[in-house]
Amino acid sequence: MAYHMPAGILKKLRTVGIHHTWNTICNILATHIRVTTTMNTEDGHVIDVRTCTTPTEEQHMIYNNLHMKHTPPGRKYIKSPIKTQRCSVEK
């Protein structure tokens, strides 16, 4: 994945002593993600549980210096009917 190098972000980080390259910043922040866990229920539904990983100290520091929110949104539960899919070999 190609990222454009935002000079303004790098300049702001450098003024507070963070002298990483843009690729390094992207790699540091890449592990702060939203995860979906999917489970089938006995009553024919699927439950998706969405959670965020907790930011590391380094991610926290970058977010703070960029005045960005870094607290993950709360856990979200979504229950929906299972969509049955037929395999191409089934007829």
Side-chain angles (χ1 to χ4, degrees):
M1 177 183 283
Y3 295 100
H4 298 285
M5 189 180 343
I9 291 173
L10 291 175
K11 182 177 181 182
K12 186 180 273 192
L13 291 173
R14 288 189 177 121
T15 61
V16 295
I18 300 173
H19 297 281
H20 297 307
T21 64
W22 180 245
N23 284 338
T24 301
I25 296 293
C26 290
N27 287 336
I28 291 168
L29 297 178
T31 60
H32 189 207
I33 58 173
R34 188 121 167 107
V35 179
T36 303
T37 305
T38 303
M39 300 166 273
N40 292 335
T41 64
E42 291 178 354
D43 66 352
H45 287 81
V46 65
I47 296 176
D48 294 321
V49 181
R50 302 225 20 164
T51 55
C52 282
T53 59
T54 304
T56 64
E57 270 188 52
E58 199 168 23
Q59 291 166 339
H60 197 101
M61 183 175 60
I62 291 170
Y63 291 137
N64 280 344
N65 287 300
L66 294 174
H67 305 289
M68 294 177 66
K69 183 178 176 184
H70 51 77
T71 53
R75 186 172 285 176
K76 184 175 183 179
Y77 298 91
I78 303 167
K79 183 176 180 181
S80 55
I82 293 178
K83 295 178 183 171
T84 57
Q85 295 179 347
R86 295 188 59 142
C87 201
S88 59
V89 292
E90 288 183 44
K91 294 193 180 192

